[in-house]
Amino acid sequence: MSDLLRAGFYRYGKSVVFWLMLIFSLIFGLIMGATADSSGSFSGGSFMVLFLITAIQISLIVGTEFSNGIVRNKLIAGHGKGKVFLSELLLSLIFITVLFIVYYGAFIIFNADIFRNTEAGDIAAVAVGIWLMHLSFAVICTAVCFFIPHHTAIAAILNIILIIVMQFGALELRLKFEEPERTYVYLPNEKTDNGPNPYYIPRDSAKYAVLHAAYYLMPCGQSVDYNWALSELWHKRPPNEKYMEDLKTAPVHSLAAIGLFTAAGLIYFRRKNLR
């Protein structure tokens, strides 16, 4: 495993894709930080861009390992499929963490003052949760590359499509969660109760539990709620208790997604007959 990791560090160090993504993360972080500082608001669109950076970097770097025959050479050299997969996964997580630090470090340069009136516990909880959210998406992207080896372009496109699908799915689920228990008819100077809302999902119901788990297993689902939490912190208000209460479980769901896709990728790749 150590030989594979050393070779991986060397490969990333020479990768044009990684350095381009690193430079882009730095510039994007500085731009978003300066823009947010001048506008006094926070844009959740940055999460989508960082997911896109993750998808591009992992798809191209891991995909190239297959297309150039490097993975096959590692297997011929005696490295097991499990070690090859886990080494690539670990490298993906390490270098996505590097991009994470570069982007948010650049962002904070312009906005460190927003943390002065915020509880350290809230800051730490949000920071760790967002980091795990990005790692879970990195694991998903890496697994996809191993699901369809030798097809770098298809893996990249599929990972980008996943971002779009998960984002729309997350927004749709969040709207369902926000449905009120009762509906009302609003007339001039009058509000009339129109009865129970058929689309309301009780928070203590099994349906809500299943949908909420699916919502948080998707990194894009977590990003919707983290956007709200950060917006509250940004305006120097205590984060909405509803979102912060839900977000307490977000790291657990991220770890669950990491475990699920790691196991799926490992099992599939071990059974896969490479051409």
Side-chain angles (χ1 to χ4, degrees):
M1 178 72 82
S2 59
D3 291 338
L4 293 173
L5 291 176
R6 279 197 295 270
F9 277 105
Y10 178 76
R11 186 176 81 250
Y12 270 85
K14 294 181 62 177
S15 171
V16 175
V17 173
F18 169 68
W19 286 105
L20 285 176
M21 294 300 100
L22 187 69
I23 293 170
F24 184 82
S25 296
L26 175 62
I27 295 174
F28 183 62
L30 291 171
I31 292 174
M32 292 298 293
T35 302
D37 180 58
S38 62
S39 65
S41 62
F42 176 82
S43 173
S46 60
F47 289 136
M48 293 296 293
V49 176
L50 290 173
F51 288 152
L52 183 61
I53 291 173
T54 299
I56 292 173
Q57 175 172 302
I58 292 176
S59 298
L60 294 184
I61 293 181
V62 176
T64 301
E65 288 281 280
F66 285 104
S67 60
N68 290 346
I70 298 175
V71 170
R72 178 177 289 277
N73 291 338
K74 290 178 180 178
L75 297 176
I76 293 174
H79 298 291
K81 286 185 175 181
K83 288 185 177 180
V84 171
F85 174 81
L86 292 176
S87 65
E88 288 298 328
L89 180 63
L90 184 56
L91 287 166
S92 294
L93 297 182
I94 290 172
F95 285 97
I96 289 305
T97 298
V98 171
L99 298 184
F100 175 88
I101 293 172
V102 167
Y103 170 78
Y104 286 101
F107 184 92
I108 291 172
I109 288 175
F110 294 96
N111 304 286
D113 62 310
I114 68 172
F115 301 119
R116 291 176 183 171
N117 299 320
T118 306
E119 292 290 335
D122 288 340
I123 296 173
V126 171
V128 171
I130 292 175
W131 173 59
L132 289 174
M133 175 185 73
H134 285 294
L135 292 189
S136 68
F137 185 69
V139 172
I140 293 172
C141 290
T142 304
V144 167
C145 292
F146 278 84
F147 289 154
I148 46 175
H150 308 299
H151 300 286
T152 305
I154 296 176
I157 293 171
L158 182 57
N159 280 327
I160 292 172
I161 290 174
L162 276 175
I163 298 173
I164 299 171
V165 171
M166 285 193 296
Q167 183 66 19
F168 279 104
L171 291 173
E172 183 65 26
L173 283 175
R174 172 45 67 186
L175 290 175
K176 289 183 181 295
F177 298 153
E178 297 293 339
E179 286 284 349
E181 185 173 358
R182 304 187 69 81
T183 58
Y184 297 90
V185 176
Y186 292 89
L187 300 173
N189 303 318
E190 183 181 357
K191 184 176 78 171
T192 305
D193 189 332
N194 199 38
N197 181 0
Y199 300 106
Y200 172 70
I201 306 175
R203 292 178 68 90
D204 58 352
S205 67
K207 181 179 180 180
Y208 183 92
V210 171
L211 291 178
H212 194 265
Y215 177 75
Y216 265 4
L217 283 171
M218 295 187 297
C220 290
Q222 294 186 29
S223 73
V224 173
D225 285 7
Y226 277 121
N227 179 41
W228 283 104
L230 286 172
S231 295
E232 295 292 319
L233 290 174
W234 194 261
H235 292 94
K236 296 179 172 53
R237 296 191 296 264
N240 188 300
E241 290 186 6
K242 176 180 62 177
Y243 290 109
M244 291 305 293
E245 186 65 29
D246 283 348
L247 285 171
K248 288 179 180 178
T249 66
V252 176
H253 285 85
S254 291
L255 292 173
I258 289 171
L260 176 64
F261 281 92
T262 296
L266 186 59
I267 293 171
Y268 180 84
F269 186 57
R270 277 179 168 172
R271 297 179 177 179
K272 176 71 174 179
N273 292 320
L274 298 180
R275 297 194 302 272

